[in-house]
Amino acid sequence: MHMADALLSPAVGATLWAGTAAVGGYASKKLKVQINDRTIPLMGVLGAFIFAAQMINFTIPGTGSSGHLGGGMILAILLGPHAAFLTMASVLTVQALFFADGGLLALGCNIWNLGVYPCCLVYPLLYRPLAGEGRSPGRILIASVLSVVIALQLGAFSVVLETLLSGRSELPFGAFVLLMQPIHLAIGIVEGFVTAGIIGYVAAARPEILESVAAARPVGAGVPLAKALTVFALLAVLTGGAFSWFASTQPDGLEWAIERVTGRGELSEAERGVAAVLRGLQEKTAFLPDYGFKAAAAEPAPAAPAAAWPGIEAGTSAAGVTGAAIVLVLVGLIGLGIRSAGRRPGSTP
Amino acid sequence: MSHHIIEFKEVFFRYPDGTAALRGVSFRIVHGESVGVVGANGAGKSTLLQHLNGCLLPTSGQVTIGDLNLTAATRGEIRRKVGSVFQNPDDQLFMPTVFDDVAFGPLNLGLDKAHVRERVESALSRVNGLALKNKPPHHLSAGEKSAVAIAAVMAMEPDILAMDEPAANLDPRSRRSLIGLLKTFQHSKLVASHDLDLILDVCERCIVIGEGRVVADGPSEDILSNRTLLEANNLELPLSLQRR
Amino acid sequence: MNFHTQYFDLGRLDRLSYRRTAVHSLDPRAKVIATGLFLVTVVSFPKYDVAGLVPFLLFPVLAATLGEIPIGFILRKVLIVSPFAVFVGIFSPFLDTRTVAVIAGLPVSAGWLSFASILLKFALTVSAALLLVATTSFPGVCHALRRLGCPPIFVSQLLFLYRYLFVLAEEAMRIVRAWDMRAFAGRGRGATVFARLVGVLLIRTLDRAERIYQAMLCRGFAGDIPRLGTLRLRSVDLVFVAITAVFLGACRFFPVTEGIGLLAQGIWR
Ligand SMILES: Nc1ncnc2c1ncn2[C@@H]1O[C@H](COP(=O)(O)OP(=O)(O)OP(=O)(O)O)[C@@H](O)[C@H]1O
Ligand SMILES: [Mg+2]
């Protein structure tokens, strides 16, 4: 499920972009030291593969509806977390541009929802420990289904949160969650089986190929990942917070400028009629930002009661801070997860 | 000039899955020689050509290019001398535009920008592909892709040319100009093809490969007119010889 | 959407981007920046603002017309991806029923306003993204990203992805055709067969990646991808960005739509 630009507020979009850019910068920094010559073409071609595979639909058993491959988990299994994350990010970028899936501002959210969770969180925390180094089909199956399901649940829940924090939709939280999570549970189970099927098929048909991919795959250098991630998380939160603060104060300042530039005199006649009704309404429903009605009212109303402004500011930055807090928690989880996976011998990410 | 010599001594090659693709191949090509490699599907032609640039290393036996024995250590240097055109141009044209692709080799040789541009333009015009310069490879027809793949190799000005099915997708006129182009290439070259007329036209010598071995090696005119030899290797007399 | 439509749309959009028009010849960086500004401005409009968004339609319309991009094609693509936004937005009219205006005697609820605003933003943002690729070759976008500070590793593999997208999509198409020919009446269309087919595609892809790597080595690849810098910012590009910024700023910070409305009313009276 792709997040869309139209449902986003700039604060939430920017926060997620900051988080995604931080993870992306970190992943490419890691890759630069771990990389082997083969990795870049391999990443690109596998990205194209995911893209092509996503264009093929299959019938979901018992429903008659059709599903397609998500891909993040397969990439992580083949390439390891860092390279897989960057590849998934580029798949989503191409999708945003060529298929307009989501949008360019929502791309940050989409990379976060569909890239960070499977590649950086679920794969090292869940898939690796479960599937182990062995190629036992049973373990691959269990690990894939669980991982894909959990990654998709996290992704779907994030879509809900991002939509709600943006405040562009009226959908109540409970209903939205109840709608999104079960759908993605079903999708996740099917996709998990398909992922296991693909990996199992390749492991059976050409076992040497998985080994050579594993050899081409960048190796972890044992850098204190959690520490670096913490820095990036802080950075993301600061950027997000600063931006939402900016976003929340700016419209006020602008409004003031607009009033000055356009002048009150000519506009005052519009204040009768609709605008007056509106302002009355607005005062009753205090949670509505007054600038929200300006367009509907056709004219900027005279300065709203001053008391309304701090409320708005708090509201917008509340969204930014909440978003940032979530990013912080998630990035923290990634850091902890990767570190604990790294402690386990033979499962260094 | 020893640096254009190609020598295979008892070369064996086995793919990781166990297929023995070369089973004791020996021959020697001297400077300026133009040699065709023919044989049935799966005979081992492509495998042999991939030994010339070190994409594959012999399982046993020895490959010598110029003064160098092919090993993992020397293959970087050998690749500078040998220009290879692969059987599938899509694998070879990996850059997003034709220009970038043809420029890839010269840039890696460390040439300056003006020089690179010059090389790209002259290589593209030699294959009649100058008009394709700004196109992305995936918008080219199969024959145009082949032409650009050849230009990409020519732009590196190699000492030795190894081509796998260079004419596979070319229309008659492009094929004709490829033949002309190959004839102007002065150094040693090895061309693997099922197009026996092209081999007859371009190569004075011909090696027949069968099941990973050299079945016959001699002047093209003799070999390509030997109906029994050709038919034993799933080949036919070249059209130009059938008419006689 | 079936495979063939997707595949041909992909090719069509890509081909459009290699045309030569005034819009196409602008520096990719300028277009990326302008698109970014446009998106941020549009999205920054508050929930109930509809009128203020309308002037922004000028941007996609200008890009499509000057860039000679078929508008119907872009609109169709916008429609195809619209379900999620529509789904999320459609609840607003039912949940937010306070009347905020009376237009032509009909009461308009705040929910309808916000729904309309979502739809408008959706159309604007999606078409802006599509028009960016339709008027800028993808390698151009990538080089712009590189110059604007994207990590080189990311950009390099993005370029590989683009290069092999079409090759693999074609390969996938051959597989799908063969599959369609042998899967009848819904049998053999399930996830198991799908996993096997995609497994085959994956094996071919991995083999191909190895051949590509060999081809790169044969042409002297030693770890990084050299490029001739061909981007050059001209004054046209700067003017373009400046005009866009002024336009966006004006439409965002001044009630342009209302102003025009008032003016019209004044003249009419
Ligand atoms: N990557 C590979 N792994 C395993 N076996 C291979 C591989 N590539 C080729 N082979 C096998 O090696 C043998 C020689 O193949 P090669 O590609 O060299 O034949 P060829 O003479 O070029 O055939 P063609 O005329 O069809 O191009 C064949 O039996 C083939 O099946
Ligand atoms: Mg061959």
Side-chain angles (χ1 to χ4, degrees), chain C residues 14-45:
Chain C
D14 188 52
R15 263 167 214 280
L16 286 175
S17 73
Y18 289 92
R19 290 198 175 171
R20 281 160 186 265
T21 69
V23 184
H24 286 80
S25 67
L26 286 169
D27 188 282
R29 278 169 293 182
K31 282 182 278 186
V32 168
I33 291 171
T35 308
L37 288 176
F38 176 81
L39 293 176
V40 172
T41 317
V42 166
V43 170
S44 75
F45 270 87

PDB file of all heavy atoms in Angstrom, chain C residues 14-45:
ATOM      1  N   ASP C  14       8.631   6.440 -21.124  1.00  0.00           N
ATOM      2  CA  ASP C  14      10.064   6.566 -21.301  1.00  0.00           C
ATOM      3  C   ASP C  14      10.399   7.195 -22.654  1.00  0.00           C
ATOM      4  O   ASP C  14      11.270   8.049 -22.772  1.00  0.00           O
ATOM      5  CB  ASP C  14      10.708   5.193 -21.171  1.00  0.00           C
ATOM      6  CG  ASP C  14      12.206   5.284 -21.151  1.00  0.00           C
ATOM      7  OD1 ASP C  14      12.719   6.068 -20.331  1.00  0.00           O
ATOM      8  OD2 ASP C  14      12.863   4.595 -21.949  1.00  0.00           O
ATOM      9  N   ARG C  15       9.683   6.781 -23.669  1.00  0.00           N
ATOM     10  CA  ARG C  15       9.950   7.344 -24.995  1.00  0.00           C
ATOM     11  C   ARG C  15       9.649   8.836 -25.048  1.00  0.00           C
ATOM     12  O   ARG C  15      10.371   9.603 -25.674  1.00  0.00           O
ATOM     13  CB  ARG C  15       9.091   6.639 -26.044  1.00  0.00           C
ATOM     14  CG  ARG C  15       9.811   5.551 -26.749  1.00  0.00           C
ATOM     15  CD  ARG C  15       8.859   4.680 -27.530  1.00  0.00           C
ATOM     16  NE  ARG C  15       9.359   3.326 -27.512  1.00  0.00           N
ATOM     17  CZ  ARG C  15      10.315   2.893 -28.305  1.00  0.00           C
ATOM     18  NH1 ARG C  15      10.848   3.705 -29.196  1.00  0.00           N
ATOM     19  NH2 ARG C  15      10.756   1.666 -28.226  1.00  0.00           N
ATOM     20  N   LEU C  16       8.554   9.220 -24.369  1.00  0.00           N
ATOM     21  CA  LEU C  16       8.203  10.647 -24.343  1.00  0.00           C
ATOM     22  C   LEU C  16       9.379  11.468 -23.822  1.00  0.00           C
ATOM     23  O   LEU C  16       9.616  12.588 -24.265  1.00  0.00           O
ATOM     24  CB  LEU C  16       6.995  10.872 -23.430  1.00  0.00           C
ATOM     25  CG  LEU C  16       5.648  10.417 -23.963  1.00  0.00           C
ATOM     26  CD1 LEU C  16       4.578  10.606 -22.895  1.00  0.00           C
ATOM     27  CD2 LEU C  16       5.288  11.186 -25.205  1.00  0.00           C
ATOM     28  N   SER C  17      10.110  10.888 -22.878  1.00  0.00           N
ATOM     29  CA  SER C  17      11.148  11.672 -22.210  1.00  0.00           C
ATOM     30  C   SER C  17      12.348  11.937 -23.112  1.00  0.00           C
ATOM     31  O   SER C  17      13.213  12.717 -22.763  1.00  0.00           O
ATOM     32  CB  SER C  17      11.583  10.972 -20.931  1.00  0.00           C
ATOM     33  OG  SER C  17      12.353   9.846 -21.243  1.00  0.00           O
ATOM     34  N   TYR C  18      12.410  11.290 -24.259  1.00  0.00           N
ATOM     35  CA  TYR C  18      13.536  11.558 -25.165  1.00  0.00           C
ATOM     36  C   TYR C  18      13.160  12.491 -26.300  1.00  0.00           C
ATOM     37  O   TYR C  18      13.902  12.655 -27.250  1.00  0.00           O
ATOM     38  CB  TYR C  18      14.104  10.237 -25.708  1.00  0.00           C
ATOM     39  CG  TYR C  18      14.831   9.470 -24.631  1.00  0.00           C
ATOM     40  CD1 TYR C  18      14.163   8.518 -23.866  1.00  0.00           C
ATOM     41  CD2 TYR C  18      16.159   9.734 -24.343  1.00  0.00           C
ATOM     42  CE1 TYR C  18      14.811   7.839 -22.852  1.00  0.00           C
ATOM     43  CE2 TYR C  18      16.813   9.064 -23.339  1.00  0.00           C
ATOM     44  CZ  TYR C  18      16.136   8.114 -22.582  1.00  0.00           C
ATOM     45  OH  TYR C  18      16.788   7.449 -21.580  1.00  0.00           O
ATOM     46  N   ARG C  19      11.981  13.098 -26.199  1.00  0.00           N
ATOM     47  CA  ARG C  19      11.622  14.097 -27.214  1.00  0.00           C
ATOM     48  C   ARG C  19      12.484  15.329 -27.058  1.00  0.00           C
ATOM     49  O   ARG C  19      13.191  15.482 -26.065  1.00  0.00           O
ATOM     50  CB  ARG C  19      10.164  14.503 -27.035  1.00  0.00           C
ATOM     51  CG  ARG C  19       9.234  13.414 -27.404  1.00  0.00           C
ATOM     52  CD  ARG C  19       7.876  13.990 -27.635  1.00  0.00           C
ATOM     53  NE  ARG C  19       7.009  12.925 -28.105  1.00  0.00           N
ATOM     54  CZ  ARG C  19       5.707  13.062 -28.235  1.00  0.00           C
ATOM     55  NH1 ARG C  19       5.137  14.209 -27.929  1.00  0.00           N
ATOM     56  NH2 ARG C  19       4.983  12.073 -28.678  1.00  0.00           N
ATOM     57  N   ARG C  20      12.366  16.206 -28.015  1.00  0.00           N
ATOM     58  CA  ARG C  20      13.109  17.450 -27.910  1.00  0.00           C
ATOM     59  C   ARG C  20      12.150  18.616 -27.986  1.00  0.00           C
ATOM     60  O   ARG C  20      11.673  18.978 -29.050  1.00  0.00           O
ATOM     61  CB  ARG C  20      14.129  17.545 -29.050  1.00  0.00           C
ATOM     62  CG  ARG C  20      15.331  16.725 -28.733  1.00  0.00           C
ATOM     63  CD  ARG C  20      16.125  16.397 -29.966  1.00  0.00           C
ATOM     64  NE  ARG C  20      17.180  15.476 -29.563  1.00  0.00           N
ATOM     65  CZ  ARG C  20      18.407  15.864 -29.252  1.00  0.00           C
ATOM     66  NH1 ARG C  20      18.746  17.126 -29.324  1.00  0.00           N
ATOM     67  NH2 ARG C  20      19.298  14.984 -28.875  1.00  0.00           N
ATOM     68  N   THR C  21      11.842  19.175 -26.835  1.00  0.00           N
ATOM     69  CA  THR C  21      11.021  20.383 -26.797  1.00  0.00           C
ATOM     70  C   THR C  21      11.711  21.327 -25.838  1.00  0.00           C
ATOM     71  O   THR C  21      12.691  20.964 -25.189  1.00  0.00           O
ATOM     72  CB  THR C  21       9.608  20.089 -26.254  1.00  0.00           C
ATOM     73  OG1 THR C  21       9.719  19.770 -24.868  1.00  0.00           O
ATOM     74  CG2 THR C  21       8.933  18.951 -26.967  1.00  0.00           C
ATOM     75  N   ALA C  22      11.143  22.525 -25.719  1.00  0.00           N
ATOM     76  CA  ALA C  22      11.731  23.507 -24.809  1.00  0.00           C
ATOM     77  C   ALA C  22      11.774  22.943 -23.387  1.00  0.00           C
ATOM     78  O   ALA C  22      12.752  23.105 -22.667  1.00  0.00           O
ATOM     79  CB  ALA C  22      10.900  24.784 -24.838  1.00  0.00           C
ATOM     80  N   VAL C  23      10.700  22.249 -22.998  1.00  0.00           N
ATOM     81  CA  VAL C  23      10.658  21.711 -21.643  1.00  0.00           C
ATOM     82  C   VAL C  23      11.701  20.612 -21.470  1.00  0.00           C
ATOM     83  O   VAL C  23      12.393  20.539 -20.459  1.00  0.00           O
ATOM     84  CB  VAL C  23       9.251  21.167 -21.320  1.00  0.00           C
ATOM     85  CG1 VAL C  23       9.186  20.692 -19.884  1.00  0.00           C
ATOM     86  CG2 VAL C  23       8.199  22.223 -21.566  1.00  0.00           C
ATOM     87  N   HIS C  24      11.806  19.753 -22.498  1.00  0.00           N
ATOM     88  CA  HIS C  24      12.779  18.663 -22.393  1.00  0.00           C
ATOM     89  C   HIS C  24      14.207  19.182 -22.295  1.00  0.00           C
ATOM     90  O   HIS C  24      15.053  18.557 -21.677  1.00  0.00           O
ATOM     91  CB  HIS C  24      12.666  17.728 -23.595  1.00  0.00           C
ATOM     92  CG  HIS C  24      11.451  16.854 -23.562  1.00  0.00           C
ATOM     93  ND1 HIS C  24      10.212  17.299 -23.936  1.00  0.00           N
ATOM     94  CD2 HIS C  24      11.281  15.568 -23.184  1.00  0.00           C
ATOM     95  CE1 HIS C  24       9.338  16.324 -23.795  1.00  0.00           C
ATOM     96  NE2 HIS C  24       9.962  15.260 -23.336  1.00  0.00           N
ATOM     97  N   SER C  25      14.461  20.305 -22.949  1.00  0.00           N
ATOM     98  CA  SER C  25      15.855  20.740 -23.007  1.00  0.00           C
ATOM     99  C   SER C  25      16.289  21.541 -21.778  1.00  0.00           C
ATOM    100  O   SER C  25      17.454  21.901 -21.668  1.00  0.00           O
ATOM    101  CB  SER C  25      16.104  21.536 -24.283  1.00  0.00           C
ATOM    102  OG  SER C  25      15.381  22.734 -24.195  1.00  0.00           O
ATOM    103  N   LEU C  26      15.359  21.793 -20.853  1.00  0.00           N
ATOM    104  CA  LEU C  26      15.774  22.442 -19.606  1.00  0.00           C
ATOM    105  C   LEU C  26      16.693  21.511 -18.831  1.00  0.00           C
ATOM    106  O   LEU C  26      16.582  20.286 -18.937  1.00  0.00           O
ATOM    107  CB  LEU C  26      14.551  22.760 -18.740  1.00  0.00           C
ATOM    108  CG  LEU C  26      13.676  23.923 -19.191  1.00  0.00           C
ATOM    109  CD1 LEU C  26      12.384  23.933 -18.393  1.00  0.00           C
ATOM    110  CD2 LEU C  26      14.411  25.234 -19.028  1.00  0.00           C
ATOM    111  N   ASP C  27      17.571  22.088 -18.034  1.00  0.00           N
ATOM    112  CA  ASP C  27      18.476  21.277 -17.240  1.00  0.00           C
ATOM    113  C   ASP C  27      17.677  20.415 -16.253  1.00  0.00           C
ATOM    114  O   ASP C  27      16.782  20.916 -15.579  1.00  0.00           O
ATOM    115  CB  ASP C  27      19.429  22.192 -16.462  1.00  0.00           C
ATOM    116  CG  ASP C  27      20.521  21.405 -15.768  1.00  0.00           C
ATOM    117  OD1 ASP C  27      20.263  20.810 -14.712  1.00  0.00           O
ATOM    118  OD2 ASP C  27      21.641  21.387 -16.307  1.00  0.00           O
ATOM    119  N   PRO C  28      18.001  19.112 -16.180  1.00  0.00           N
ATOM    120  CA  PRO C  28      17.251  18.234 -15.277  1.00  0.00           C
ATOM    121  C   PRO C  28      17.236  18.738 -13.833  1.00  0.00           C
ATOM    122  O   PRO C  28      16.223  18.610 -13.147  1.00  0.00           O
ATOM    123  CB  PRO C  28      17.987  16.895 -15.352  1.00  0.00           C
ATOM    124  CG  PRO C  28      18.868  16.950 -16.514  1.00  0.00           C
ATOM    125  CD  PRO C  28      19.013  18.373 -16.943  1.00  0.00           C
ATOM    126  N   ARG C  29      18.344  19.350 -13.404  1.00  0.00           N
ATOM    127  CA  ARG C  29      18.371  19.848 -12.023  1.00  0.00           C
ATOM    128  C   ARG C  29      17.292  20.895 -11.806  1.00  0.00           C
ATOM    129  O   ARG C  29      16.587  20.903 -10.799  1.00  0.00           O
ATOM    130  CB  ARG C  29      19.733  20.466 -11.706  1.00  0.00           C
ATOM    131  CG  ARG C  29      20.761  19.447 -11.328  1.00  0.00           C
ATOM    132  CD  ARG C  29      22.115  20.076 -11.283  1.00  0.00           C
ATOM    133  NE  ARG C  29      22.542  20.482 -12.607  1.00  0.00           N
ATOM    134  CZ  ARG C  29      23.721  21.036 -12.860  1.00  0.00           C
ATOM    135  NH1 ARG C  29      24.552  21.280 -11.880  1.00  0.00           N
ATOM    136  NH2 ARG C  29      24.051  21.348 -14.087  1.00  0.00           N
ATOM    137  N   ALA C  30      17.167  21.787 -12.805  1.00  0.00           N
ATOM    138  CA  ALA C  30      16.160  22.843 -12.680  1.00  0.00           C
ATOM    139  C   ALA C  30      14.771  22.231 -12.562  1.00  0.00           C
ATOM    140  O   ALA C  30      13.953  22.664 -11.741  1.00  0.00           O
ATOM    141  CB  ALA C  30      16.229  23.773 -13.885  1.00  0.00           C
ATOM    142  N   LYS C  31      14.527  21.182 -13.355  1.00  0.00           N
ATOM    143  CA  LYS C  31      13.197  20.577 -13.331  1.00  0.00           C
ATOM    144  C   LYS C  31      12.951  19.828 -12.027  1.00  0.00           C
ATOM    145  O   LYS C  31      11.846  19.860 -11.479  1.00  0.00           O
ATOM    146  CB  LYS C  31      13.019  19.667 -14.552  1.00  0.00           C
ATOM    147  CG  LYS C  31      12.721  20.463 -15.805  1.00  0.00           C
ATOM    148  CD  LYS C  31      12.505  19.595 -17.011  1.00  0.00           C
ATOM    149  CE  LYS C  31      13.830  19.174 -17.620  1.00  0.00           C
ATOM    150  NZ  LYS C  31      13.645  18.442 -18.877  1.00  0.00           N
ATOM    151  N   VAL C  32      13.993  19.151 -11.541  1.00  0.00           N
ATOM    152  CA  VAL C  32      13.831  18.438 -10.269  1.00  0.00           C
ATOM    153  C   VAL C  32      13.533  19.428  -9.147  1.00  0.00           C
ATOM    154  O   VAL C  32      12.605  19.227  -8.346  1.00  0.00           O
ATOM    155  CB  VAL C  32      15.097  17.602  -9.952  1.00  0.00           C
ATOM    156  CG1 VAL C  32      15.062  17.105  -8.512  1.00  0.00           C
ATOM    157  CG2 VAL C  32      15.204  16.421 -10.906  1.00  0.00           C
ATOM    158  N   ILE C  33      14.276  20.529  -9.125  1.00  0.00           N
ATOM    159  CA  ILE C  33      14.052  21.523  -8.071  1.00  0.00           C
ATOM    160  C   ILE C  33      12.656  22.137  -8.191  1.00  0.00           C
ATOM    161  O   ILE C  33      11.920  22.245  -7.209  1.00  0.00           O
ATOM    162  CB  ILE C  33      15.135  22.620  -8.126  1.00  0.00           C
ATOM    163  CG1 ILE C  33      16.477  22.013  -7.704  1.00  0.00           C
ATOM    164  CG2 ILE C  33      14.777  23.800  -7.226  1.00  0.00           C
ATOM    165  CD1 ILE C  33      17.657  22.927  -7.910  1.00  0.00           C
ATOM    166  N   ALA C  34      12.296  22.505  -9.421  1.00  0.00           N
ATOM    167  CA  ALA C  34      10.980  23.122  -9.608  1.00  0.00           C
ATOM    168  C   ALA C  34       9.878  22.164  -9.182  1.00  0.00           C
ATOM    169  O   ALA C  34       8.911  22.563  -8.511  1.00  0.00           O
ATOM    170  CB  ALA C  34      10.797  23.524 -11.071  1.00  0.00           C
ATOM    171  N   THR C  35      10.010  20.889  -9.552  1.00  0.00           N
ATOM    172  CA  THR C  35       8.993  19.922  -9.169  1.00  0.00           C
ATOM    173  C   THR C  35       8.917  19.793  -7.650  1.00  0.00           C
ATOM    174  O   THR C  35       7.828  19.732  -7.071  1.00  0.00           O
ATOM    175  CB  THR C  35       9.290  18.547  -9.794  1.00  0.00           C
ATOM    176  OG1 THR C  35       9.493  18.720 -11.196  1.00  0.00           O
ATOM    177  CG2 THR C  35       8.149  17.579  -9.582  1.00  0.00           C
ATOM    178  N   GLY C  36      10.071  19.752  -7.016  1.00  0.00           N
ATOM    179  CA  GLY C  36      10.097  19.663  -5.548  1.00  0.00           C
ATOM    180  C   GLY C  36       9.387  20.837  -4.914  1.00  0.00           C
ATOM    181  O   GLY C  36       8.532  20.662  -4.033  1.00  0.00           O
ATOM    182  N   LEU C  37       9.694  22.039  -5.384  1.00  0.00           N
ATOM    183  CA  LEU C  37       9.032  23.236  -4.848  1.00  0.00           C
ATOM    184  C   LEU C  37       7.525  23.145  -5.045  1.00  0.00           C
ATOM    185  O   LEU C  37       6.735  23.443  -4.141  1.00  0.00           O
ATOM    186  CB  LEU C  37       9.561  24.487  -5.548  1.00  0.00           C
ATOM    187  CG  LEU C  37      10.984  24.931  -5.210  1.00  0.00           C
ATOM    188  CD1 LEU C  37      11.375  26.129  -6.068  1.00  0.00           C
ATOM    189  CD2 LEU C  37      11.067  25.288  -3.728  1.00  0.00           C
ATOM    190  N   PHE C  38       7.151  22.732  -6.230  1.00  0.00           N
ATOM    191  CA  PHE C  38       5.738  22.619  -6.558  1.00  0.00           C
ATOM    192  C   PHE C  38       5.038  21.679  -5.585  1.00  0.00           C
ATOM    193  O   PHE C  38       3.993  22.003  -5.004  1.00  0.00           O
ATOM    194  CB  PHE C  38       5.602  22.108  -7.995  1.00  0.00           C
ATOM    195  CG  PHE C  38       4.184  21.869  -8.419  1.00  0.00           C
ATOM    196  CD1 PHE C  38       3.384  22.917  -8.831  1.00  0.00           C
ATOM    197  CD2 PHE C  38       3.656  20.590  -8.407  1.00  0.00           C
ATOM    198  CE1 PHE C  38       2.080  22.707  -9.220  1.00  0.00           C
ATOM    199  CE2 PHE C  38       2.347  20.365  -8.794  1.00  0.00           C
ATOM    200  CZ  PHE C  38       1.560  21.425  -9.207  1.00  0.00           C
ATOM    201  N   LEU C  39       5.636  20.499  -5.383  1.00  0.00           N
ATOM    202  CA  LEU C  39       4.997  19.506  -4.517  1.00  0.00           C
ATOM    203  C   LEU C  39       4.849  20.025  -3.096  1.00  0.00           C
ATOM    204  O   LEU C  39       3.786  19.911  -2.487  1.00  0.00           O
ATOM    205  CB  LEU C  39       5.823  18.218  -4.515  1.00  0.00           C
ATOM    206  CG  LEU C  39       5.855  17.477  -5.850  1.00  0.00           C
ATOM    207  CD1 LEU C  39       6.777  16.272  -5.772  1.00  0.00           C
ATOM    208  CD2 LEU C  39       4.450  17.027  -6.226  1.00  0.00           C
ATOM    209  N   VAL C  40       5.927  20.615  -2.585  1.00  0.00           N
ATOM    210  CA  VAL C  40       5.864  21.105  -1.206  1.00  0.00           C
ATOM    211  C   VAL C  40       4.789  22.182  -1.080  1.00  0.00           C
ATOM    212  O   VAL C  40       3.998  22.187  -0.136  1.00  0.00           O
ATOM    213  CB  VAL C  40       7.236  21.635  -0.760  1.00  0.00           C
ATOM    214  CG1 VAL C  40       7.124  22.313   0.586  1.00  0.00           C
ATOM    215  CG2 VAL C  40       8.240  20.492  -0.675  1.00  0.00           C
ATOM    216  N   THR C  41       4.754  23.071  -2.057  1.00  0.00           N
ATOM    217  CA  THR C  41       3.763  24.142  -1.984  1.00  0.00           C
ATOM    218  C   THR C  41       2.349  23.583  -2.003  1.00  0.00           C
ATOM    219  O   THR C  41       1.506  23.959  -1.183  1.00  0.00           O
ATOM    220  CB  THR C  41       3.937  25.106  -3.176  1.00  0.00           C
ATOM    221  OG1 THR C  41       5.318  25.349  -3.359  1.00  0.00           O
ATOM    222  CG2 THR C  41       3.221  26.400  -2.930  1.00  0.00           C
ATOM    223  N   VAL C  42       2.087  22.667  -2.918  1.00  0.00           N
ATOM    224  CA  VAL C  42       0.739  22.119  -3.032  1.00  0.00           C
ATOM    225  C   VAL C  42       0.341  21.407  -1.740  1.00  0.00           C
ATOM    226  O   VAL C  42      -0.751  21.604  -1.201  1.00  0.00           O
ATOM    227  CB  VAL C  42       0.660  21.145  -4.226  1.00  0.00           C
ATOM    228  CG1 VAL C  42      -0.602  20.305  -4.156  1.00  0.00           C
ATOM    229  CG2 VAL C  42       0.706  21.915  -5.532  1.00  0.00           C
ATOM    230  N   VAL C  43       1.254  20.588  -1.233  1.00  0.00           N
ATOM    231  CA  VAL C  43       0.916  19.794  -0.064  1.00  0.00           C
ATOM    232  C   VAL C  43       0.754  20.670   1.178  1.00  0.00           C
ATOM    233  O   VAL C  43       0.031  20.322   2.115  1.00  0.00           O
ATOM    234  CB  VAL C  43       1.985  18.702   0.122  1.00  0.00           C
ATOM    235  CG1 VAL C  43       1.833  18.009   1.441  1.00  0.00           C
ATOM    236  CG2 VAL C  43       1.871  17.689  -0.994  1.00  0.00           C
ATOM    237  N   SER C  44       1.400  21.835   1.161  1.00  0.00           N
ATOM    238  CA  SER C  44       1.330  22.681   2.351  1.00  0.00           C
ATOM    239  C   SER C  44      -0.021  23.369   2.502  1.00  0.00           C
ATOM    240  O   SER C  44      -0.283  23.977   3.530  1.00  0.00           O
ATOM    241  CB  SER C  44       2.435  23.727   2.306  1.00  0.00           C
ATOM    242  OG  SER C  44       2.086  24.727   1.381  1.00  0.00           O
ATOM    243  N   PHE C  45      -0.880  23.269   1.503  1.00  0.00           N
ATOM    244  CA  PHE C  45      -2.189  23.904   1.646  1.00  0.00           C
ATOM    245  C   PHE C  45      -3.005  23.188   2.712  1.00  0.00           C
ATOM    246  O   PHE C  45      -2.979  21.966   2.803  1.00  0.00           O
ATOM    247  CB  PHE C  45      -2.956  23.878   0.320  1.00  0.00           C
ATOM    248  CG  PHE C  45      -2.682  25.079  -0.514  1.00  0.00           C
ATOM    249  CD1 PHE C  45      -1.604  25.104  -1.376  1.00  0.00           C
ATOM    250  CD2 PHE C  45      -3.492  26.201  -0.407  1.00  0.00           C
ATOM    251  CE1 PHE C  45      -1.334  26.223  -2.137  1.00  0.00           C
ATOM    252  CE2 PHE C  45      -3.223  27.322  -1.166  1.00  0.00           C
ATOM    253  CZ  PHE C  45      -2.143  27.340  -2.031  1.00  0.00           C
TER     254      PHE C  45
END
